[in-house]
Amino acid sequence: MAREMTGAEMVVEALKDQGVDVIFGYPGGAVLPIYDVLFDHQHAIRHVLVRHEQGAAHAAEGYARSSGRPGVMLVTSGPGATNSVTGLTDALMDSIPVVCITGQAPTHLIGSDAFQECDTVGITRHCTKHNYLVRSIDDLPRILHEAFYVAQHGRPGPVVIDIPKDVQFARGLYSGPQNIEHKTYRPKLEGDPEKIEQAVSMMGAAKRPLFYTGGGVINAGPEASRLLRELVAATGFPITSTLMGLGAYPASGKNWLGMLGMHGTYEANNAMHDCDVMICIGARFDDRITGRLDQFSPGSKKIHIDIDPSSINKNVKVDLGIVGDCAHVAAALLDRWRARGLRADAAALKKWWAEIGKWRARKSLAYKNSSKVIQPQWAIERLYAATKGRDCYITTEVGQHQMWAAQHYHFEAPNRLMTSGGLGTMGYGLPAAIGAQMAHPRALVIDVAGEGSILMNIQELSTAAQYQLPVKVFILNNEYLGMVRQWQELLHGGRYSHSYSEALPDFVKLAEAFGAHGIRCDDPADLDAAIAEMIETPKAVVFDCRIDKTANCLPMIPSGKAHNEMILPDDEDLEAEIDAAGKALV
Amino acid sequence: MNAPAAPLSPYSSALGKSNVETHTLSVLVDNEPGVLARVVGLFSGRGYNIESLTVAEVAHAEHLSRITIVTSGPPEAIEQVGHQLERLVPIHTVTDLTLRGSAIERELAMIKVCGTGGNRDEALRLADAFRARVIDATTESFVFELTGAAAKIDQFVELMRPIGLVEVSRTGVAAMSRGKDPM
């Protein structure tokens, strides 16, 4: 049943019809008609006024990743759109469903270099899954609903809808999202049954099998994580995961090897290198995972399950590619594994686990603790101990602290870690925490940060204050852009060019200036009490945790090296490990 | 932490050693604003080659356009090109005509040749041999229209060069699979 209304009203109607109850945005000239309509719908749609449009994008991401629902943002034309670009690119790289509505100069001014005009669809073409410039009110309802469909279906991603101001004022007929089936975009959900049989046969014959899972499992919904756990239990195979997939299989699970990749565990990386059947589910053989490609898991048959056909054989040639949704394919694998009465080769698996046990015994995440200086790993461990069992969501910024959080905070459930994996965006964590807190008002949301990253979007503390969001910013402050410093130590002979965080603000006073609570801790003996104070404070907290300034994030696969050439914490000469070709890599 | 371009990177070594092939892709798309920019942007953004590209609407009522792209690269890269194109939302189908067997490929060219005396006669004789048509003539020039496989046009252009070649305009390749089935 079509109803007549303005374009701006259509936007708000469509948001309501799509079940959106929170949006993140910043008003401006080209979106004023939509903001005017929002004024009358504040009970249905909560608008969170961010302090920078990049914050809106990351908040929408944090909301989406912690809730499984699409994140929605609303920004104005020109700078509103361009400020969103980093967040949109981040969502594209990490496959996060975000719908971004941008205002645009009125259609008759497009192309005239009007005030706050930019070619939004041109600029965002490369950093969105799809984008639309709505030139006619007649197209607006379809595009609004299509955008939500495209953002969420298949491999999720950001979608931009650029709406000229005159289209927002124009009147037209609105109809709801019924019968939304895209005419060309129909992702394949079910895996090819023949290939499922082949995969199950390969798994049954495996001597040294390994599950390698990623963010695709989390994107496929909680059912996918449940099925993955069942599959691991049914087969008894070991499992590792990318940064993006942490929590899909619980860190306390007995088959868990820890995260793999550049800062993954010794056991996970060696198992990747030596396995004979690799079952990759919803991961994409990213360069942080594979290390040196021509020595990547040389002896294994590889099964790759992904909803995006272009991910298969992109970086690594696999033996069996299955296009489909992780949940559907995991269910099919489990079904066929049971129906055929397959069992893992118990003797071989026992031997394999024994080998893994030897790698585990190297204790690659070990570190030397100190009673004088807070070690970053220990700080994360204490944070984990204090929040264990609570309804807790962790976001991170990007750098050493991010990897320490991934290594030492143990994720038990999916959707609990929000981190910028693909793009590696410093400044992601605080706005993402705001998004997660909006989705989960009663939960404990902690942004594990570095003193460098946090300053990139520190203005969002003001957003947290306005909406009384009790997000906790836990800064591992080593007064260095730590990962840069670490690479300079490893690759550039300790020439610490511009990586020292000079002229840092007083984070406690900064917190107070923003209406938040500030805590500083530099004594290991005080840490537990300080963390408890942070958790118990019913408003936003900035925790300046002063840590060892020279701690490196280990273990590490040096660039250009293979999985079985890791630097472990007890290795002496870090620099000698990296050759010229490796130094050229990021 | 920017890496310099390709050769140093072990990450690209697995792809870099294969043979380079040339493939013709036929891509059916919604004829909507920006669709060509999406396709071209994908090629430039991911570092794929475009040797030739043609685009025109082929079904007015359905707003469908057909884009024919000749691309070159290792077979793995060309497979990737196809999959990456399929990810674009307004794309209906992507067909690698080269993989489907020997497709028919044709290109149209206009070739302007200037000269007098013997060169004019030679130009006309060669045009006749290539079945090129004269579509414009003055006392000092001809414009020839020539249709055929790209190699045939290359050859004709090379022959015209010493005779007085002035200008060439080519459409790029249009292609179709052989036999009764559509792509």
Side-chain angles (χ1 to χ4, degrees):
Chain A
M1 194 188 64
R3 284 170 294 152
E4 201 194 279
M5 60 182 76
T6 68
E9 286 167 337
M10 286 181 190
V11 170
V12 175
E13 277 309 302
L15 293 180
K16 289 201 287 186
D17 283 346
Q18 290 289 344
V20 175
D21 53 7
V22 177
I23 64 173
F24 303 91
Y26 205 104
V31 280
L32 283 180
I34 300 172
Y35 271 89
D36 191 59
V37 178
L38 278 175
F39 199 55
D40 293 330
H41 292 82
Q42 294 177 53
H43 53 282
I45 297 176
R46 283 196 70 190
H47 176 275
V48 177
L49 178 68
V50 294
R51 300 312 195 250
H52 185 288
E53 288 89 349
Q54 186 189 351
H58 295 322
E61 286 187 274
Y63 179 90
R65 291 177 71 163
S66 65
S67 71
R69 299 191 295 273
V72 180
M73 57 186 289
L74 171 62
V75 298
T76 193
S77 62
T82 56
N83 278 345
S84 307
V85 164
T86 300
L88 292 169
T89 313
D90 193 272
L92 183 69
M93 291 287 271
D94 285 348
S95 307
I96 308 304
V98 168
V99 174
C100 170
I101 297 167
T102 57
Q104 179 57 277
T107 45
H108 68 276
L109 287 180
I110 289 178
S112 71
D113 299 326
F115 178 64
Q116 292 193 333
E117 184 200 349
C118 71
D119 178 6
T120 300
V121 285
I123 291 168
T124 61
R125 195 171 285 133
H126 299 273
C127 61
T128 54
K129 184 175 173 187
H130 193 47
N131 62 14
Y132 301 87
L133 169 61
V134 187
R135 289 181 172 275
S136 158
I137 185 75
D138 299 333
D139 296 330
L140 184 58
R142 173 185 59 82
I143 287 173
L144 285 164
H145 298 307
E146 212 176 274
F148 277 89
Y149 175 88
V150 171
Q152 296 174 86
H153 284 74
R155 182 175 177 175
V159 177
V160 163
I161 313 171
D162 195 30
I163 311 178
K165 197 169 180 183
D166 56 325
V167 175
Q168 297 171 33
F169 278 125
R171 294 188 76 80
L173 288 177
Y174 172 80
S175 48
Q178 63 274 17
N179 309 324
I180 171 75
E181 192 168 72
H182 197 276
K183 64 181 166 179
T184 52
Y185 190 69
R186 311 238 179 90
K188 190 164 168 276
L189 295 176
E190 303 293 337
D192 179 340
E194 244 172 67
K195 291 187 172 175
I196 302 270
E197 293 299 334
Q198 276 182 53
V200 170
S201 299
M202 285 163 77
M203 286 160 61
K207 309 277 180 213
R208 299 184 307 279
L210 179 65
F211 284 109
Y212 148 45
T213 63
V217 179
I218 292 174
N219 275 337
E223 182 65 2
S225 295
R226 193 188 65 73
L227 287 161
L228 175 69
R229 292 165 186 217
E230 237 181 279
L231 193 58
V232 172
T235 56
F237 295 174
I239 175 169
T240 179
S241 161
T242 67
L243 175 68
M244 295 296 294
L246 293 179
Y249 185 83
S252 61
K254 69 179 173 66
N255 295 33
W256 178 240
L257 303 189
M259 182 176 76
L260 82 161
M262 185 171 268
H263 293 288
T265 64
Y266 190 65
E267 52 270 34
N269 286 333
N270 275 290
M272 282 292 274
H273 189 269
D274 287 1
C275 66
D276 73 339
V277 174
M278 177 190 297
I279 308 121
C280 168
I281 309 181
R284 60 185 179 87
F285 296 92
D286 173 85
D287 57 62
R288 295 296 99 160
I289 296 306
T290 60
R292 181 165 184 157
L293 261 189
D294 58 5
Q295 287 169 29
F296 173 70
S297 192
S300 63
K301 294 267 181 222
K302 299 172 187 76
I303 302 169
H304 186 185
I305 297 154
D306 203 297
I307 198 155
D308 177 0
S310 76
S311 279
I312 292 169
N313 293 331
K314 183 175 69 179
N315 299 335
V316 169
K317 184 99 185 128
V318 297
D319 300 278
L320 181 65
I322 302 177
V323 176
D325 176 85
C326 292
H328 287 79
V329 176
L333 288 174
L334 197 57
D335 182 52
R336 294 310 301 155
W337 178 269
R338 284 175 177 152
R340 284 168 56 181
L342 288 170
R343 289 261 180 286
D345 180 337
L349 202 56
K350 196 174 167 205
K351 219 174 126 199
W352 180 224
W353 274 112
E355 244 178 288
I356 290 170
K358 284 185 209 152
W359 293 321
R360 268 186 178 156
R362 279 302 304 267
K363 297 199 181 305
S364 60
L365 295 178
Y367 58 93
K368 209 187 220 168
N369 211 355
S370 158
S371 59
K372 295 194 177 66
V373 190
I374 298 175
Q375 293 303 312
Q377 302 93 332
W378 188 69
I380 299 290
E381 273 180 23
R382 296 321 298 158
L383 183 69
Y384 172 68
T387 56
K388 194 178 168 183
R390 281 176 180 262
D391 184 18
C392 185
Y393 293 82
I394 300 289
T395 71
T396 78
E397 310 284 340
V398 169
Q400 285 183 318
H401 66 272
Q402 177 189 30
M403 291 298 110
W404 282 319
Q407 291 171 337
H408 297 278
Y409 197 96
H410 307 291
F411 295 92
E412 293 294 308
N415 304 98
R416 296 289 169 155
L417 169 65
M418 274 59 69
T419 190
S420 174
L423 193 63
T425 311
M426 292 169 71
Y428 170 90
L430 175 55
I434 287 172
Q437 189 82 74
M438 284 303 294
H440 307 278
R442 289 175 205 290
L444 176 62
V445 180
I446 303 171
D447 170 27
V448 176
E451 86 288 342
S453 284
I454 191 63
L455 288 175
M456 282 213 186
N457 271 321
I458 191 74
Q459 76 286 348
E460 299 306 328
L461 275 178
S462 184
T463 309
Q466 178 176 345
Y467 299 92
Q468 293 162 21
L469 302 173
V471 294
K472 317 300 180 202
V473 181
F474 190 71
I475 304 173
L476 296 181
N477 183 352
N478 58 1
E479 293 179 26
Y480 273 107
L481 305 179
M483 196 59 97
V484 173
R485 192 202 53 74
Q486 177 169 340
W487 280 59
Q488 286 172 335
E489 180 181 333
L490 264 55
L491 300 169
H492 297 279
R495 289 156 53 84
Y496 300 125
S497 181
H498 304 281
S499 53
Y500 181 66
S501 298
E502 279 187 48
L504 280 175
D506 178 331
F507 283 107
V508 172
K509 284 187 185 158
L510 184 75
E512 283 159 7
F514 277 110
H517 179 59
I519 300 173
R520 178 167 298 119
C521 182
D522 53 11
D523 185 344
D526 299 338
L527 184 61
D528 279 349
I531 289 175
E533 180 188 342
M534 174 182 86
I535 293 170
E536 296 315 321
T537 304
K539 62 177 182 175
V541 177
V542 177
F543 190 122
D544 183 11
C545 184
R546 298 297 185 90
I547 58 161
D548 183 345
K549 292 186 188 13
T550 57
N552 279 328
C553 186
L554 295 170
M556 178 179 186
I557 303 177
S559 33
K561 296 283 183 176
H563 277 162
N564 57 350
E565 301 175 291
M566 295 192 77
I567 303 177
L568 291 166
D570 47 10
D571 285 342
E572 294 279 302
D573 188 6
L574 301 186
E575 200 183 345
E577 309 255 354
I578 300 171
D579 57 20
K583 286 185 184 179
L585 298 171
V586 278
Chain B
M1 283 183 265
N2 290 318
L8 276 173
S9 166
Y11 292 148
S12 59
S13 59
L15 288 178
K17 286 172 188 145
S18 321
N19 296 329
V20 170
E21 295 178 2
T22 300
H23 284 228
T24 304
L25 308 180
S26 191
V27 187
L28 210 56
V29 302
D30 281 330
N31 183 15
E32 61 180 32
V35 68
L36 186 61
R38 280 181 214 285
V39 170
V40 174
L42 189 153
F43 275 76
S44 63
R46 292 189 182 266
Y48 305 142
N49 299 316
I50 299 182
E51 299 202 341
S52 139
L53 181 144
T54 66
V55 54
E57 191 170 69
V58 290
H60 184 68
E62 294 92 5
H63 295 290
L64 288 180
S65 286
R66 182 158 170 155
I67 301 178
T68 307
I69 305 167
V70 181
T71 182
S72 62
E76 302 89 347
I78 291 174
E79 188 193 331
Q80 262 297 303
V81 171
H83 288 313
Q84 293 292 348
L85 283 168
E86 280 166 353
R87 289 175 78 186
L88 300 179
V89 170
I91 283 190
H92 288 249
T93 56
V94 179
T95 309
D96 186 333
L97 291 173
T98 308
L99 282 184
R100 298 268 307 256
S102 57
I104 314 162
E105 299 187 2
R106 290 293 179 269
E107 192 174 355
L108 185 144
M110 293 182 199
I111 299 117
K112 185 177 281 183
V113 181
C114 281
T116 50
N119 278 355
R120 277 176 77 79
D121 297 341
E122 187 57 28
L124 282 176
R125 266 198 297 278
L126 285 167
D128 192 43
F130 276 79
R131 286 185 220 143
R133 294 200 302 137
V134 177
I135 54 174
D136 180 66
T138 68
T139 55
E140 291 161 281
S141 69
F142 292 117
V143 176
F144 297 110
E145 173 198 318
L146 178 60
T147 308
K152 176 179 165 181
I153 293 171
D154 290 345
Q155 202 186 352
F156 185 74
V157 169
E158 282 317 304
L159 288 169
M160 286 296 142
R161 201 174 294 284
I163 296 174
L165 181 75
V166 174
E167 196 178 359
V168 183
S169 174
R170 298 171 70 150
T171 57
V173 172
M176 193 167 271
S177 60
R178 292 177 186 274
K180 68 179 169 58
D181 297 323
M183 65 172 189

